[in-house]
PDB file of all heavy atoms in Angstrom:
ATOM      1  N   ILE N 279      94.319 127.501  74.341  1.00 97.00           N
ATOM      2  CA  ILE N 279      93.059 126.951  74.845  1.00 97.00           C
ATOM      3  C   ILE N 279      91.881 127.777  74.331  1.00 97.00           C
ATOM      4  O   ILE N 279      90.836 127.226  73.945  1.00 97.00           O
ATOM      5  CB  ILE N 279      93.064 126.903  76.385  1.00 97.00           C
ATOM      6  CG1 ILE N 279      94.097 125.889  76.870  1.00 97.00           C
ATOM      7  CG2 ILE N 279      91.688 126.551  76.926  1.00 97.00           C
ATOM      8  CD1 ILE N 279      94.308 125.889  78.380  1.00 97.00           C
ATOM      9  N   ASP N 280      92.059 129.080  74.300  1.00 98.00           N
ATOM     10  CA  ASP N 280      91.005 129.956  73.777  1.00 98.00           C
ATOM     11  C   ASP N 280      90.757 129.681  72.294  1.00 98.00           C
ATOM     12  O   ASP N 280      89.604 129.631  71.842  1.00 98.00           O
ATOM     13  CB  ASP N 280      91.385 131.422  73.994  1.00 98.00           C
ATOM     14  CG  ASP N 280      90.259 132.359  73.595  1.00 98.00           C
ATOM     15  OD1 ASP N 280      89.145 132.205  74.101  1.00 98.00           O
ATOM     16  OD2 ASP N 280      90.505 133.266  72.760  1.00 98.00           O
ATOM     17  N   HIS N 281      91.829 129.480  71.527  1.00 98.00           N
ATOM     18  CA  HIS N 281      91.681 129.161  70.102  1.00 98.00           C
ATOM     19  C   HIS N 281      90.950 127.828  69.921  1.00 98.00           C
ATOM     20  O   HIS N 281      90.123 127.686  69.006  1.00 98.00           O
ATOM     21  CB  HIS N 281      93.054 129.096  69.434  1.00 98.00           C
ATOM     22  CG  HIS N 281      93.644 130.442  69.193  1.00 98.00           C
ATOM     23  ND1 HIS N 281      94.927 130.613  68.719  1.00 98.00           N
ATOM     24  CD2 HIS N 281      93.134 131.694  69.344  1.00 98.00           C
ATOM     25  CE1 HIS N 281      95.189 131.906  68.588  1.00 98.00           C
ATOM     26  NE2 HIS N 281      94.113 132.582  68.969  1.00 98.00           N
ATOM     27  N   TYR N 282      91.258 126.862  70.793  1.00 98.00           N
ATOM     28  CA  TYR N 282      90.543 125.586  70.723  1.00 98.00           C
ATOM     29  C   TYR N 282      89.051 125.793  70.994  1.00 98.00           C
ATOM     30  O   TYR N 282      88.197 125.284  70.265  1.00 98.00           O
ATOM     31  CB  TYR N 282      91.110 124.577  71.729  1.00 98.00           C
ATOM     32  CG  TYR N 282      90.159 123.436  71.951  1.00 98.00           C
ATOM     33  CD1 TYR N 282      89.946 122.480  70.966  1.00 98.00           C
ATOM     34  CD2 TYR N 282      89.402 123.351  73.134  1.00 98.00           C
ATOM     35  CE1 TYR N 282      89.023 121.457  71.141  1.00 98.00           C
ATOM     36  CE2 TYR N 282      88.481 122.335  73.307  1.00 98.00           C
ATOM     37  CZ  TYR N 282      88.292 121.401  72.311  1.00 98.00           C
ATOM     38  OH  TYR N 282      87.365 120.408  72.474  1.00 98.00           O
ATOM     39  N   GLN N 283      88.747 126.566  72.040  1.00 97.00           N
ATOM     40  CA  GLN N 283      87.348 126.770  72.402  1.00 97.00           C
ATOM     41  C   GLN N 283      86.574 127.461  71.284  1.00 97.00           C
ATOM     42  O   GLN N 283      85.388 127.221  71.092  1.00 97.00           O
ATOM     43  CB  GLN N 283      87.256 127.573  73.700  1.00 97.00           C
ATOM     44  CG  GLN N 283      85.862 127.599  74.306  1.00 97.00           C
ATOM     45  CD  GLN N 283      85.855 128.109  75.729  1.00 97.00           C
ATOM     46  OE1 GLN N 283      86.894 128.448  76.293  1.00 97.00           O
ATOM     47  NE2 GLN N 283      84.684 128.161  76.347  1.00 97.00           N
ATOM     48  N   GLN N 284      87.267 128.291  70.524  1.00 97.00           N
ATOM     49  CA  GLN N 284      86.635 128.982  69.401  1.00 97.00           C
ATOM     50  C   GLN N 284      86.529 128.107  68.155  1.00 97.00           C
ATOM     51  O   GLN N 284      85.932 128.505  67.161  1.00 97.00           O
ATOM     52  CB  GLN N 284      87.421 130.245  69.052  1.00 97.00           C
ATOM     53  CG  GLN N 284      87.422 131.309  70.131  1.00 97.00           C
ATOM     54  CD  GLN N 284      88.288 132.492  69.748  1.00 97.00           C
ATOM     55  OE1 GLN N 284      88.207 133.007  68.630  1.00 97.00           O
ATOM     56  NE2 GLN N 284      89.145 132.928  70.653  1.00 97.00           N
ATOM     57  N   GLY N 285      87.120 126.917  68.197  1.00 97.00           N
ATOM     58  CA  GLY N 285      87.059 126.022  67.055  1.00 97.00           C
ATOM     59  C   GLY N 285      88.129 126.266  66.013  1.00 97.00           C
ATOM     60  O   GLY N 285      88.034 125.770  64.885  1.00 97.00           O
ATOM     61  N   LEU N 286      89.173 127.003  66.371  1.00 98.00           N
ATOM     62  CA  LEU N 286      90.230 127.331  65.407  1.00 98.00           C
ATOM     63  C   LEU N 286      91.268 126.215  65.288  1.00 98.00           C
ATOM     64  O   LEU N 286      91.943 126.106  64.257  1.00 98.00           O
ATOM     65  CB  LEU N 286      90.920 128.641  65.817  1.00 98.00           C
ATOM     66  CG  LEU N 286      90.009 129.873  65.933  1.00 98.00           C
ATOM     67  CD1 LEU N 286      90.820 131.086  66.390  1.00 98.00           C
ATOM     68  CD2 LEU N 286      89.332 130.156  64.590  1.00 98.00           C
ATOM     69  N   VAL N 287      91.412 125.417  66.341  1.00 98.00           N
ATOM     70  CA  VAL N 287      92.387 124.317  66.328  1.00 98.00           C
ATOM     71  C   VAL N 287      91.726 123.107  66.983  1.00 98.00           C
ATOM     72  O   VAL N 287      90.795 123.247  67.787  1.00 98.00           O
ATOM     73  CB  VAL N 287      93.691 124.671  67.082  1.00 98.00           C
ATOM     74  CG1 VAL N 287      94.408 125.818  66.401  1.00 98.00           C
ATOM     75  CG2 VAL N 287      93.403 125.011  68.546  1.00 98.00           C
ATOM     76  N   PRO N 288      92.175 121.882  66.674  1.00 98.00           N
ATOM     77  CA  PRO N 288      91.634 120.687  67.337  1.00 98.00           C
ATOM     78  C   PRO N 288      92.199 120.518  68.747  1.00 98.00           C
ATOM     79  O   PRO N 288      93.175 121.170  69.133  1.00 98.00           O
ATOM     80  CB  PRO N 288      92.079 119.550  66.413  1.00 98.00           C
ATOM     81  CG  PRO N 288      93.334 120.055  65.780  1.00 98.00           C
ATOM     82  CD  PRO N 288      93.140 121.536  65.611  1.00 98.00           C
ATOM     83  N   LEU N 289      91.601 119.615  69.492  1.00 98.00           N
ATOM     84  CA  LEU N 289      91.982 119.399  70.889  1.00 98.00           C
ATOM     85  C   LEU N 289      93.436 118.993  71.043  1.00 98.00           C
ATOM     86  O   LEU N 289      94.076 119.312  72.055  1.00 98.00           O
ATOM     87  CB  LEU N 289      91.072 118.327  71.497  1.00 98.00           C
ATOM     88  CG  LEU N 289      91.289 117.965  72.961  1.00 98.00           C
ATOM     89  CD1 LEU N 289      91.142 119.179  73.864  1.00 98.00           C
ATOM     90  CD2 LEU N 289      90.328 116.851  73.376  1.00 98.00           C
ATOM     91  N   ILE N 290      93.975 118.295  70.054  1.00 98.00           N
ATOM     92  CA  ILE N 290      95.349 117.813  70.172  1.00 98.00           C
ATOM     93  C   ILE N 290      96.352 118.943  70.326  1.00 98.00           C
ATOM     94  O   ILE N 290      97.419 118.766  70.928  1.00 98.00           O
ATOM     95  CB  ILE N 290      95.714 116.941  68.931  1.00 98.00           C
ATOM     96  CG1 ILE N 290      97.030 116.182  69.164  1.00 98.00           C
ATOM     97  CG2 ILE N 290      95.784 117.771  67.680  1.00 98.00           C
ATOM     98  CD1 ILE N 290      96.970 115.167  70.282  1.00 98.00           C
ATOM     99  N   VAL N 291      96.027 120.146  69.844  1.00 98.00           N
ATOM    100  CA  VAL N 291      96.976 121.269  69.898  1.00 98.00           C
ATOM    101  C   VAL N 291      97.207 121.727  71.336  1.00 98.00           C
ATOM    102  O   VAL N 291      98.357 121.744  71.806  1.00 98.00           O
ATOM    103  CB  VAL N 291      96.511 122.422  68.983  1.00 98.00           C
ATOM    104  CG1 VAL N 291      97.434 123.625  69.149  1.00 98.00           C
ATOM    105  CG2 VAL N 291      96.484 121.966  67.526  1.00 98.00           C
ATOM    106  N   PRO N 292      96.176 122.141  72.091  1.00 98.00           N
ATOM    107  CA  PRO N 292      96.455 122.522  73.479  1.00 98.00           C
ATOM    108  C   PRO N 292      96.950 121.350  74.321  1.00 98.00           C
ATOM    109  O   PRO N 292      97.784 121.554  75.219  1.00 98.00           O
ATOM    110  CB  PRO N 292      95.106 123.046  73.984  1.00 98.00           C
ATOM    111  CG  PRO N 292      94.089 122.457  73.078  1.00 98.00           C
ATOM    112  CD  PRO N 292      94.751 122.354  71.745  1.00 98.00           C
ATOM    113  N   LEU N 293      96.478 120.132  74.034  1.00 97.00           N
ATOM    114  CA  LEU N 293      96.938 118.982  74.808  1.00 97.00           C
ATOM    115  C   LEU N 293      98.429 118.742  74.639  1.00 97.00           C
ATOM    116  O   LEU N 293      99.139 118.436  75.599  1.00 97.00           O
ATOM    117  CB  LEU N 293      96.163 117.737  74.392  1.00 97.00           C
ATOM    118  CG  LEU N 293      94.853 117.454  75.126  1.00 97.00           C
ATOM    119  CD1 LEU N 293      94.165 116.248  74.535  1.00 97.00           C
ATOM    120  CD2 LEU N 293      95.099 117.241  76.618  1.00 97.00           C
ATOM    121  N   THR N 294      98.911 118.874  73.411  1.00 97.00           N
ATOM    122  CA  THR N 294     100.335 118.657  73.155  1.00 97.00           C
ATOM    123  C   THR N 294     101.183 119.673  73.906  1.00 97.00           C
ATOM    124  O   THR N 294     102.220 119.325  74.497  1.00 97.00           O
ATOM    125  CB  THR N 294     100.617 118.746  71.645  1.00 97.00           C
ATOM    126  OG1 THR N 294      99.866 117.740  70.959  1.00 97.00           O
ATOM    127  CG2 THR N 294     102.094 118.550  71.358  1.00 97.00           C
ATOM    128  N   LEU N 295     100.740 120.918  73.920  1.00 96.00           N
ATOM    129  CA  LEU N 295     101.478 121.957  74.629  1.00 96.00           C
ATOM    130  C   LEU N 295     101.453 121.705  76.131  1.00 96.00           C
ATOM    131  O   LEU N 295     102.481 121.857  76.818  1.00 96.00           O
ATOM    132  CB  LEU N 295     100.886 123.330  74.291  1.00 96.00           C
ATOM    133  CG  LEU N 295     101.663 124.558  74.777  1.00 96.00           C
ATOM    134  CD1 LEU N 295     103.094 124.545  74.248  1.00 96.00           C
ATOM    135  CD2 LEU N 295     100.937 125.840  74.341  1.00 96.00           C
ATOM    136  N   ILE N 296     100.297 121.314  76.644  1.00 97.00           N
ATOM    137  CA  ILE N 296     100.187 121.037  78.077  1.00 97.00           C
ATOM    138  C   ILE N 296     101.060 119.850  78.477  1.00 97.00           C
ATOM    139  O   ILE N 296     101.745 119.879  79.510  1.00 97.00           O
ATOM    140  CB  ILE N 296      98.713 120.794  78.447  1.00 97.00           C
ATOM    141  CG1 ILE N 296      97.967 122.128  78.505  1.00 97.00           C
ATOM    142  CG2 ILE N 296      98.588 120.062  79.782  1.00 97.00           C
ATOM    143  CD1 ILE N 296      96.481 122.010  78.720  1.00 97.00           C
ATOM    144  N   LYS N 297     101.092 118.809  77.649  1.00 96.00           N
ATOM    145  CA  LYS N 297     101.934 117.649  77.957  1.00 96.00           C
ATOM    146  C   LYS N 297     103.407 118.026  77.975  1.00 96.00           C
ATOM    147  O   LYS N 297     104.202 117.469  78.742  1.00 96.00           O
ATOM    148  CB  LYS N 297     101.672 116.535  76.940  1.00 96.00           C
ATOM    149  CG  LYS N 297     100.333 115.842  77.111  1.00 96.00           C
ATOM    150  CD  LYS N 297     100.164 114.748  76.052  1.00 96.00           C
ATOM    151  CE  LYS N 297      98.835 114.063  76.170  1.00 96.00           C
ATOM    152  NZ  LYS N 297      98.658 112.994  75.151  1.00 96.00           N
ATOM    153  N   HIS N 298     103.769 118.985  77.118  1.00 95.00           N
ATOM    154  CA  HIS N 298     105.157 119.475  77.121  1.00 95.00           C
ATOM    155  C   HIS N 298     105.524 120.040  78.481  1.00 95.00           C
ATOM    156  O   HIS N 298     106.591 119.735  79.035  1.00 95.00           O
ATOM    157  CB  HIS N 298     105.331 120.528  76.028  1.00 95.00           C
ATOM    158  CG  HIS N 298     106.559 121.379  76.193  1.00 95.00           C
ATOM    159  ND1 HIS N 298     107.831 120.915  75.932  1.00 95.00           N
ATOM    160  CD2 HIS N 298     106.707 122.668  76.633  1.00 95.00           C
ATOM    161  CE1 HIS N 298     108.714 121.865  76.191  1.00 95.00           C
ATOM    162  NE2 HIS N 298     108.067 122.938  76.616  1.00 95.00           N
ATOM    163  N   PHE N 299     104.642 120.861  79.047  1.00 96.00           N
ATOM    164  CA  PHE N 299     104.937 121.481  80.338  1.00 96.00           C
ATOM    165  C   PHE N 299     104.831 120.474  81.479  1.00 96.00           C
ATOM    166  O   PHE N 299     105.545 120.608  82.480  1.00 96.00           O
ATOM    167  CB  PHE N 299     104.013 122.677  80.575  1.00 96.00           C
ATOM    168  CG  PHE N 299     104.389 123.882  79.754  1.00 96.00           C
ATOM    169  CD1 PHE N 299     103.587 124.307  78.712  1.00 96.00           C
ATOM    170  CD2 PHE N 299     105.564 124.578  80.013  1.00 96.00           C
ATOM    171  CE1 PHE N 299     103.942 125.403  77.943  1.00 96.00           C
ATOM    172  CE2 PHE N 299     105.935 125.673  79.245  1.00 96.00           C
ATOM    173  CZ  PHE N 299     105.120 126.096  78.206  1.00 96.00           C
ATOM    174  N   ILE N 300     103.969 119.474  81.347  1.00 95.00           N
ATOM    175  CA  ILE N 300     103.888 118.441  82.388  1.00 95.00           C
ATOM    176  C   ILE N 300     105.181 117.627  82.420  1.00 95.00           C
ATOM    177  O   ILE N 300     105.667 117.244  83.490  1.00 95.00           O
ATOM    178  CB  ILE N 300     102.665 117.531  82.146  1.00 95.00           C
ATOM    179  CG1 ILE N 300     101.371 118.321  82.389  1.00 95.00           C
ATOM    180  CG2 ILE N 300     102.721 116.303  83.058  1.00 95.00           C
ATOM    181  CD1 ILE N 300     100.111 117.550  82.083  1.00 95.00           C
ATOM    182  N   ARG N 301     105.758 117.377  81.232  1.00 94.00           N
ATOM    183  CA  ARG N 301     107.060 116.678  81.205  1.00 94.00           C
ATOM    184  C   ARG N 301     108.156 117.552  81.814  1.00 94.00           C
ATOM    185  O   ARG N 301     109.062 117.052  82.482  1.00 94.00           O
ATOM    186  CB  ARG N 301     107.423 116.302  79.772  1.00 94.00           C
ATOM    187  CG  ARG N 301     106.626 115.137  79.198  1.00 94.00           C
ATOM    188  CD  ARG N 301     107.233 114.631  77.913  1.00 94.00           C
ATOM    189  NE  ARG N 301     107.180 115.634  76.860  1.00 94.00           N
ATOM    190  CZ  ARG N 301     106.177 115.787  76.014  1.00 94.00           C
ATOM    191  NH1 ARG N 301     105.125 114.977  76.098  1.00 94.00           N
ATOM    192  NH2 ARG N 301     106.213 116.712  75.078  1.00 94.00           N
ATOM    193  N   LYS N 302     108.051 118.851  81.601  1.00 94.00           N
ATOM    194  CA  LYS N 302     109.071 119.778  82.109  1.00 94.00           C
ATOM    195  C   LYS N 302     108.903 120.012  83.605  1.00 94.00           C
ATOM    196  O   LYS N 302     109.889 120.168  84.335  1.00 94.00           O
ATOM    197  CB  LYS N 302     108.965 121.104  81.345  1.00 94.00           C
ATOM    198  CG  LYS N 302     110.153 122.021  81.534  1.00 94.00           C
ATOM    199  CD  LYS N 302     110.064 123.210  80.576  1.00 94.00           C
ATOM    200  CE  LYS N 302     111.284 124.115  80.715  1.00 94.00           C
ATOM    201  NZ  LYS N 302     111.207 125.272  79.794  1.00 94.00           N
ATOM    202  N   TYR N 303     107.659 120.042  84.055  1.00 94.00           N
ATOM    203  CA  TYR N 303     107.354 120.264  85.471  1.00 94.00           C
ATOM    204  C   TYR N 303     106.432 119.140  85.949  1.00 94.00           C
ATOM    205  O   TYR N 303     105.237 119.346  86.155  1.00 94.00           O
ATOM    206  CB  TYR N 303     106.679 121.631  85.675  1.00 94.00           C
ATOM    207  CG  TYR N 303     107.467 122.789  85.112  1.00 94.00           C
ATOM    208  CD1 TYR N 303     107.105 123.351  83.885  1.00 94.00           C
ATOM    209  CD2 TYR N 303     108.571 123.307  85.787  1.00 94.00           C
ATOM    210  CE1 TYR N 303     107.823 124.407  83.354  1.00 94.00           C
ATOM    211  CE2 TYR N 303     109.296 124.365  85.256  1.00 94.00           C
ATOM    212  CZ  TYR N 303     108.916 124.899  84.040  1.00 94.00           C
ATOM    213  OH  TYR N 303     109.644 125.950  83.510  1.00 94.00           O
ATOM    214  N   PRO N 304     106.948 117.935  86.085  1.00 93.00           N
ATOM    215  CA  PRO N 304     106.098 116.774  86.368  1.00 93.00           C
ATOM    216  C   PRO N 304     105.374 116.886  87.710  1.00 93.00           C
ATOM    217  O   PRO N 304     105.948 117.304  88.721  1.00 93.00           O
ATOM    218  CB  PRO N 304     107.084 115.601  86.368  1.00 93.00           C
ATOM    219  CG  PRO N 304     108.419 116.217  86.608  1.00 93.00           C
ATOM    220  CD  PRO N 304     108.378 117.580  86.000  1.00 93.00           C
ATOM    221  N   ASP N 305     104.121 116.536  87.680  1.00 93.00           N
ATOM    222  CA  ASP N 305     103.298 116.489  88.889  1.00 93.00           C
ATOM    223  C   ASP N 305     102.695 115.088  88.974  1.00 93.00           C
ATOM    224  O   ASP N 305     102.035 114.643  88.026  1.00 93.00           O
ATOM    225  CB  ASP N 305     102.184 117.538  88.814  1.00 93.00           C
ATOM    226  CG  ASP N 305     101.302 117.529  90.052  1.00 93.00           C
ATOM    227  OD1 ASP N 305     100.370 116.698  90.122  1.00 93.00           O
ATOM    228  OD2 ASP N 305     101.548 118.344  90.958  1.00 93.00           O
ATOM    229  N   PRO N 306     102.899 114.388  90.084  1.00 94.00           N
ATOM    230  CA  PRO N 306     102.414 112.996  90.179  1.00 94.00           C
ATOM    231  C   PRO N 306     100.915 112.858  89.913  1.00 94.00           C
ATOM    232  O   PRO N 306     100.490 111.884  89.291  1.00 94.00           O
ATOM    233  CB  PRO N 306     102.770 112.602  91.617  1.00 94.00           C
ATOM    234  CG  PRO N 306     103.905 113.498  91.992  1.00 94.00           C
ATOM    235  CD  PRO N 306     103.648 114.792  91.288  1.00 94.00           C
ATOM    236  N   TYR N 307     100.126 113.813  90.372  1.00 95.00           N
ATOM    237  CA  TYR N 307      98.685 113.714  90.185  1.00 95.00           C
ATOM    238  C   TYR N 307      98.308 113.884  88.716  1.00 95.00           C
ATOM    239  O   TYR N 307      97.451 113.161  88.201  1.00 95.00           O
ATOM    240  CB  TYR N 307      97.976 114.767  91.037  1.00 95.00           C
ATOM    241  CG  TYR N 307      96.475 114.619  91.042  1.00 95.00           C
ATOM    242  CD1 TYR N 307      95.867 113.534  91.663  1.00 95.00           C
ATOM    243  CD2 TYR N 307      95.666 115.560  90.420  1.00 95.00           C
ATOM    244  CE1 TYR N 307      94.491 113.378  91.681  1.00 95.00           C
ATOM    245  CE2 TYR N 307      94.288 115.421  90.424  1.00 95.00           C
ATOM    246  CZ  TYR N 307      93.709 114.337  91.059  1.00 95.00           C
ATOM    247  OH  TYR N 307      92.339 114.185  91.057  1.00 95.00           O
TER     248      TYR N 307
END
Side-chain angles (χ1 to χ4, degrees):
I279 293 173
D280 186 55
H281 284 174
Y282 163 71
Q283 192 166 0
Q284 295 177 47
L286 302 178
V287 296
L289 181 58
I290 192 64
V291 175
L293 272 176
T294 300
L295 189 57
I296 283 174
K297 288 180 181 180
H298 163 74
F299 285 110
I300 291 176
R301 286 192 295 271
K302 194 171 182 180
Y303 305 101
D305 180 277
Y307 188 68

